[in-house]
Amino acid sequence: MSTITRDTQVFDLIKREHQRQLHGIELIASENFVSEQVMEATGSVLTNKYAEGLPGKRYYGGCEVVDELEQLAIDRLKELFGLTWANVQPHSGAQANTAVFLACLEPGDKILGFDLSHGGHLSHGSKVNISGKYFEPHFYGVEKETGLIDWDKVEQKALAEKPKMIICGASAYSRDWDYERLRNIADKIGAILLADISHPAGLIAKGLLNDPFDHCHIVTTTTHKTLRGTRGGVIMMRNDFDNPFGKKTMKGAIRSMSSLLDSGVFPGTQGGPLEHAIAGKAVAFGEALTDQYADYVKQVQKNANVMANEFVKLGYKVISGGTDNHLALIDLRPKGITGKLAENTLIKADITVNKNMVPFDEAKAMVTSGMRVGAAAMTTRGLKEDDFVRMVGLVDKVLTNNDNDAVIASVRGEINEWMKDYPLFQ
């Protein structure tokens, strides 16, 4: 039998990406570095197995082992957040949200989400996403003066529109959420309350932020941000309940919400689950149950707070004035530069951020007036508060000398030397 020739093109590119990650500073709030065992599980022979259905209820043979594996991931996730039910099959956070919409909504139903341009997420009703194409989206946002959500105005909007679902959660909002208030609002109009905790999930798991599970009917999250696992998504409930839509089983009984959500994933929006990714999730959930992980997310929160405060000290406008979680959104207009310029210039110094719209932004989405920064990835590499002070100083040095190649090259050299002492996962 002939051997397969090694694909040097692909593996050379993988090597280059590894070097890029190793030598630079990663400040994108939605990224993190996984442990070797998470990578090992994700790159395992489990990628060979097809397993449509749920553990014990598959449409393919040979699923005995992956049944145990997927159940282990479910059990660990339930322990991590104190749940009665979870589905670990969604391929991403957006897939998890889409499955929830399919289970709970009919085309044309009203939804009320956090405005994308104010820090919300694409899958919460944006017109370019299925959530905004198949349903009637309405939005709430932050106050221009404070950068904070006014919960009274959210209630006014909900009472006026009476959406079937209220969505809370964000991709670029640095403050905590009042889930109890939102549930009271949802109950007044008979709406389902969905929390997407994709960004702060790890901090919530360890009690550092408000707990959505006792107030929100359904909770979704990605698994690769502060949870520090394989890229993917999950759907969760602390308490299962009879669905309020009157949908019944073949035998005439009212279907539980968990049953509807399971069907929203498969066969509703996905086919066979990625069992290799689920294995990576299981490993990450196991890591998140440890005391070491608790120490990690506490450090993430400390580092993010220092980072936000340091930007303020250097004259940057941080939306809402600071952060409660792992990220900060920075309005660059007072500095006279765009998010696009900041992102492209910092890349030259091996500092990675993402341009981001800020509330009431007048710039186009591919330009933006702001940038988003997060502390999760560099905390994984072992950096502490003083390191983040230094890091912000280097960011400022590059941005204030964005037309000076010599200064940028000098910062890049300093960063490359600095990062030699920090592996990707510490």
Side-chain angles (χ1 to χ4, degrees):
M1 179 187 240
S2 61
T3 58
I4 297 175
T5 303
R6 183 171 176 80
D7 193 330
T8 56
Q9 283 183 293
V10 169
F11 288 103
D12 284 349
L13 288 169
I14 292 173
K15 183 177 180 180
R16 282 173 53 194
E17 173 60 15
H18 178 247
Q19 293 301 305
R20 186 195 70 80
Q21 293 181 20
L22 192 62
H23 294 155
I25 286 175
E26 180 56 72
L27 291 178
I28 293 179
S30 51
E31 295 189 8
N32 212 329
F33 301 113
V34 301
S35 66
E36 289 188 1
Q37 62 177 354
V38 169
M39 284 194 287
E40 182 181 355
T42 307
S44 68
V45 296
L46 292 166
T47 194
N48 299 330
K49 189 71 194 89
Y50 216 88
E52 280 187 351
L54 294 166
K57 300 177 182 179
R58 305 290 189 181
Y59 291 83
Y60 286 78
C63 292
E64 297 83 3
V65 176
V66 294
D67 277 359
E68 290 188 44
L69 173 71
E70 187 170 330
Q71 191 60 53
L72 179 62
I74 291 168
D75 291 343
R76 287 180 173 180
L77 183 61
K78 288 164 70 174
E79 181 180 355
L80 183 62
F81 286 106
L83 313 173
T84 60
W85 175 88
N87 187 304
V88 298
Q89 293 187 2
H91 303 332
S92 68
Q95 288 285 108
N97 289 338
T98 301
V100 173
F101 299 152
L102 183 67
C104 297
L105 304 172
E106 298 294 337
D109 281 347
K110 288 183 179 181
I111 58 175
L112 178 62
F114 187 35
D115 195 323
L116 175 64
S117 66
H118 285 211
H121 192 264
L122 195 70
S123 64
H124 297 176
S126 171
K127 282 290 189 182
V128 299
N129 183 260
I130 190 172
S131 57
K133 289 178 180 290
Y134 278 47
F135 310 105
E136 183 182 321
H138 297 269
F139 300 100
Y140 57 91
V142 302
E143 297 300 294
K144 194 170 187 177
E145 298 76 17
T146 64
L148 298 171
I149 296 169
D150 184 325
W151 303 111
D152 289 336
K153 289 187 176 180
V154 176
E155 180 167 359
Q156 292 170 11
K157 188 80 170 182
L159 292 175
E161 298 297 342
K162 293 182 172 56
K164 191 171 180 180
M165 177 179 287
I166 298 174
I167 308 165
C168 57
S171 65
Y173 185 65
S174 61
R175 297 303 185 176
D176 207 350
W177 290 76
D178 190 342
Y179 302 110
E180 184 175 7
R181 177 72 188 278
L182 285 165
R183 178 58 182 269
N184 289 335
I185 295 170
D187 286 347
K188 287 182 179 181
I189 58 173
I192 291 286
L193 181 59
L194 167 66
D196 181 343
I197 61 169
S198 290
H199 274 272
L203 284 73
I204 290 170
K206 294 304 178 182
L208 302 180
L209 294 171
N210 290 335
D211 184 347
F213 289 94
D214 280 336
H215 306 292
C216 300
H217 296 95
I218 306 165
V219 179
T220 62
T221 184
T222 55
T223 49
H224 53 273
K225 299 182 177 82
T226 52
L227 280 178
R228 205 165 59 178
T230 292
R231 298 186 67 83
V234 297
I235 307 172
M236 303 170 283
M237 290 189 295
R238 178 158 292 161
N239 299 298
D240 197 0
F241 58 100
D242 287 343
N243 78 80
F245 317 120
K247 295 182 180 180
K248 297 182 179 181
T249 66
M250 294 292 288
K251 295 182 179 180
I254 294 291
R255 296 180 66 182
S256 66
M257 182 54 70
S258 60
S259 172
L260 283 180
L261 292 171
D262 279 334
S263 67
V265 178
F266 172 82
T269 54
Q270 294 183 183
L274 309 178
E275 293 295 342
H276 55 296
I278 290 173
K281 294 175 187 179
V283 174
F285 300 155
E287 292 175 351
L289 287 166
T290 65
D291 291 338
Q292 293 93 329
Y293 180 83
D295 293 339
Y296 160 71
V297 288
K298 289 175 185 176
Q299 190 64 53
V300 168
Q301 194 175 49
K302 291 177 184 177
N303 288 345
N305 188 55
V306 167
M307 178 172 60
N309 290 339
E310 200 63 23
F311 273 113
V312 171
K313 289 178 185 177
L314 292 173
Y316 291 83
K317 181 181 178 182
V318 175
I319 301 299
S320 82
T323 183
D324 297 327
N325 54 34
H326 66 297
L327 64 82
L329 180 60
I330 301 172
D331 187 340
L332 295 167
R333 286 176 290 191
K335 292 291 184 177
I337 57 178
T338 66
K340 182 178 180 179
L341 177 63
E343 179 184 299
N344 291 341
T345 305
L346 289 167
I347 285 174
K348 296 177 183 177
D350 282 348
I351 302 172
T352 311
V353 303
N354 65 276
K355 59 182 177 291
N356 210 100
M357 295 190 77
V358 295
F360 309 99
D361 204 332
E362 296 176 352
K364 294 181 179 179
M366 289 302 294
V367 178
T368 80
S369 297
M371 67 178 184
R372 184 185 63 163
V373 292
M378 297 312 294
T379 305
T380 292
R381 295 188 70 170
L383 274 65
K384 301 290 179 64
E385 291 96 324
D386 289 346
D387 298 309
F388 274 79
V389 172
R390 178 183 178 186
M391 196 185 308
V392 173
L394 293 174
V395 169
D396 178 61
K397 188 174 183 179
V398 171
L399 294 182
T400 55
N401 294 276
N402 59 74
D403 58 351
N404 191 323
D405 291 341
V407 171
I408 295 171
S410 173
V411 171
R412 179 176 180 171
E414 180 180 343
I415 289 171
N416 294 163
E417 189 64 30
W418 183 18
M419 290 299 106
K420 287 180 179 179
D421 295 329
Y422 294 92
L424 291 183
F425 187 93
Q426 191 168 85

